Amino acid sequence: MQSQFAEANSLLERVLFVYEDSISYDFRLLDKRGYQLQLDQYSRPLFVALSRFLLVLTKKGCHKSAFEYAKVLLRLNPYEDPHGALILVDHHALTARQYTFVTQFPHLFGKDHYPAGTPEPSLIYLPSSLYSTALAKFLPAVENGTLSQLMATWTREQFLDILARIDDMDPAAEDHNVLLLLGLLLYPKVMNELASTCEWQKLSLGEFSAYTGWQKKPMKELLISFIFANEFKPFYSCLQISREEDLVGLDKFSRAYVESNKALWKSQPVGTWARSVIGCVLNYMTPADYEAFVERLCSKPLRYVVPFSLSRYQSIVPITFGDHPGLDLNNILANQQEQGHQPPPNYNPINTQQNWFSLLLGSLLPWNHLPREGLAQEEDQPPEGFEEDEDVDFDDRN
């Protein structure tokens, strides 16, 4: 979109309107299990438009709307997921503060789209699910509690007990520390990339009296430890990896998760929390212990299993939502005028100095949600690169 979000927004709204207008009243795809929209030359523009529209909505700061659109994008084709909507749903659920949804989604997705069995179908052992579920439990706890009480401060016995019961564990029912521990042990590369991308080593991470051993060391030293230097391939039984394409898909999926969610992990409390978990692992695990743990994950079945082949993510393209999602609402008009743009006739900016009741009342007024007036007069010609269908009249949008 080359940062031309206004033009992109107009074009994408038109594309989505064309598809919406073409859907018949008896369309029931979203209500039927096992149904999906096939990816072909006719549906591909819809998938692309939806994924790009999520960027525009995020730029506007419309996180709940983006969350709903991400769910639609996933539901259209959950069995192939051509645009990595699993990652997008996690991201937008977190930015929209839908924390309960994030913690419940991995199991619900497996139950809704795949037959029950043993092991049970679930997304919980995907890197996106482990890390996002951990974050979804940590963030509200930070808002409601003291940071020092949320750090990982296990004793050796408690740490070994967690590892001992992994075979029959339900990770989604565990606390944020156990979830992040599993994410670290199964996917240390994701943690390393998050730390590097978010520059945790430059943050002033807190010190707590309960810290011991490696937990007191700087993040820079933790990131060069054996846990991040391993070369084990994740042939975990819960991932059902059987060929090289699955490994490539998992690697692309993990990188896409880091790229799309790095803004959510880039804070001092999150970095401090991660440091406490990494320190505990290094306190109680040796390289030989870790090798034995990985071997166990590869040889023994776990309670849950990812119910599809990860090779479907070989061609996934990461989407970056930026370090500061959302617009500066106080400067929208100024930015437009600097770029030579004039506000639309019914321009009605949000006044952030109003009281909450006035803001609420203003958001309920119907004309705040209508398309710009004079759209047909201002934009008689379609944007460059957009071929207008002769049978479609965009003035009908109003």
Side-chain angles (χ1 to χ4, degrees):
M1 293 188 289
Q2 300 179 354
S3 299
Q4 299 179 356
F5 286 96
E7 293 80 358
N9 180 53
S10 177
L11 176 59
L12 290 170
E13 284 182 348
R14 291 176 174 227
V15 172
L16 294 176
F17 173 78
V18 170
Y19 277 97
E20 181 183 356
D21 191 57
S22 67
I23 295 176
S24 64
Y25 287 105
D26 60 352
F27 179 75
R28 292 292 183 271
L29 172 64
L30 301 182
D31 298 334
K32 296 185 179 181
R33 175 176 176 174
Y35 280 47
Q36 66 177 1
L37 182 62
Q38 294 294 334
L39 186 64
D40 54 29
Q41 60 180 328
Y42 304 106
S43 64
R44 189 178 299 276
L46 174 60
F47 285 101
V48 174
L50 280 171
S51 63
R52 294 298 181 266
F53 194 52
L54 293 177
L55 280 170
V56 174
L57 289 173
T58 303
K59 187 71 175 177
K60 290 180 176 181
C62 302
H63 300 304
K64 288 188 177 180
S65 296
F67 171 52
E68 297 300 329
Y69 271 95
K71 289 194 292 184
V72 171
L73 179 61
L74 176 61
R75 185 61 188 87
L76 289 176
N77 194 326
Y79 303 102
E80 295 177 332
D81 193 15
H83 285 272
L86 284 179
I87 296 174
L88 303 180
V89 166
D90 278 349
H91 172 86
H92 292 294
L94 287 169
T95 55
R97 303 168 68 87
Q98 302 297 310
Y99 300 131
T100 301
F101 174 89
V102 177
T103 61
Q104 297 177 350
F105 175 68
H107 289 341
L108 290 179
F109 182 87
K111 292 178 181 178
D112 287 347
H113 299 291
Y114 295 92
T118 305
E120 300 175 43
S122 175
L123 307 178
I124 192 60
Y125 281 116
L126 285 177
S128 59
S129 295
L130 286 174
Y131 280 90
S132 290
T133 306
L135 195 60
K137 293 191 175 187
F138 176 76
L139 292 178
V142 169
E143 298 173 1
N144 301 322
T146 304
L147 186 61
S148 61
Q149 299 174 350
L150 303 176
M151 300 297 104
T153 55
W154 301 300
T155 64
R156 177 180 295 275
E157 290 73 21
Q158 291 172 330
F159 180 83
L160 295 178
D161 176 69
I162 294 171
L163 301 186
R165 55 189 177 88
I166 191 172
D167 295 349
D168 196 48
M169 178 188 292
D170 179 4
E174 301 290 336
D175 67 14
H176 58 282
N177 286 323
V178 174
L179 282 161
L180 192 61
L181 170 65
L182 293 177
L184 170 62
L185 294 178
L186 271 68
Y187 307 105
K189 188 175 180 180
V190 173
M191 180 73 81
N192 197 8
E193 291 183 359
L194 283 172
S196 301
T197 304
C198 299
E199 299 182 327
W200 287 340
Q201 64 272 24
K202 295 183 179 180
L203 296 178
S204 177
L205 304 182
E207 293 282 351
F208 300 104
S209 58
Y211 277 4
T212 60
W214 281 88
Q215 290 180 312
K216 297 181 179 181
K217 296 190 177 182
M219 181 65 78
K220 185 176 181 179
E221 290 188 33
L222 302 183
L223 295 178
I224 60 174
S225 60
F226 72 86
I227 197 75
F228 300 109
N230 80 84
E231 299 180 357
F232 302 127
K233 291 187 177 180
F235 285 102
Y236 309 137
S237 61
C238 57
L239 299 181
Q240 301 191 92
I241 292 178
S242 59
R243 50 182 179 160
E244 188 66 27
E245 289 81 0
D246 292 330
L247 290 174
V248 174
L250 176 61
D251 183 65
K252 291 286 188 67
F253 185 83
S254 300
R255 292 178 182 273
Y257 174 78
V258 173
E259 186 64 27
S260 297
N261 291 273
K262 58 186 180 183
L264 300 173
W265 290 83
K266 197 171 187 178
S267 71
Q268 190 267 348
V270 172
T272 301
W273 167 46
R275 175 191 177 190
S276 72
V277 174
I278 298 172
C280 269
V281 172
L282 296 177
N283 280 342
Y284 304 133
M285 255 189 161
T286 65
D289 294 332
Y290 183 55
E291 183 176 354
F293 177 78
V294 171
E295 182 178 349
R296 177 182 170 191
L297 291 177
C298 296
S299 60
K300 289 188 176 183
L302 302 183
R303 179 176 175 181
Y304 298 98
V305 64
V306 176
F308 50 77
S309 171
L310 291 169
S311 60
R312 72 186 195 178
Y313 294 114
Q314 290 183 86
S315 303
I316 189 175
V317 177
I319 296 180
T320 303
F321 292 99
D323 291 341
H324 303 284
L327 290 177
D328 183 353
L329 298 176
N330 294 315
N331 294 319
I332 293 178
L333 184 58
N335 291 338
Q336 288 181 339
Q337 291 176 338
E338 288 177 3
Q339 298 172 10
H341 298 296
Q342 296 299 321
N346 63 337
Y347 179 73
N348 187 21
I350 296 176
N351 181 0
T352 57
Q353 304 303 318
Q354 288 179 310
N355 60 51
W356 68 270
F357 181 77
S358 298
L359 290 172
L360 175 62
L361 180 62
S363 69
L364 297 177
L365 298 177
W367 49 82
N368 285 339
H369 306 287
L370 293 175
R372 300 196 308 268
E373 294 178 358
L375 178 63
Q377 291 77 12
E378 295 176 7
E379 300 179 0
D380 291 331
Q381 300 298 324
E384 183 178 350
F386 179 82
E387 296 182 3
E388 185 173 356
D389 192 331
E390 297 179 356
D391 297 328
V392 178
D393 184 1
F394 287 101
D395 292 335
D396 291 342
R397 300 188 337 160
N398 295 325

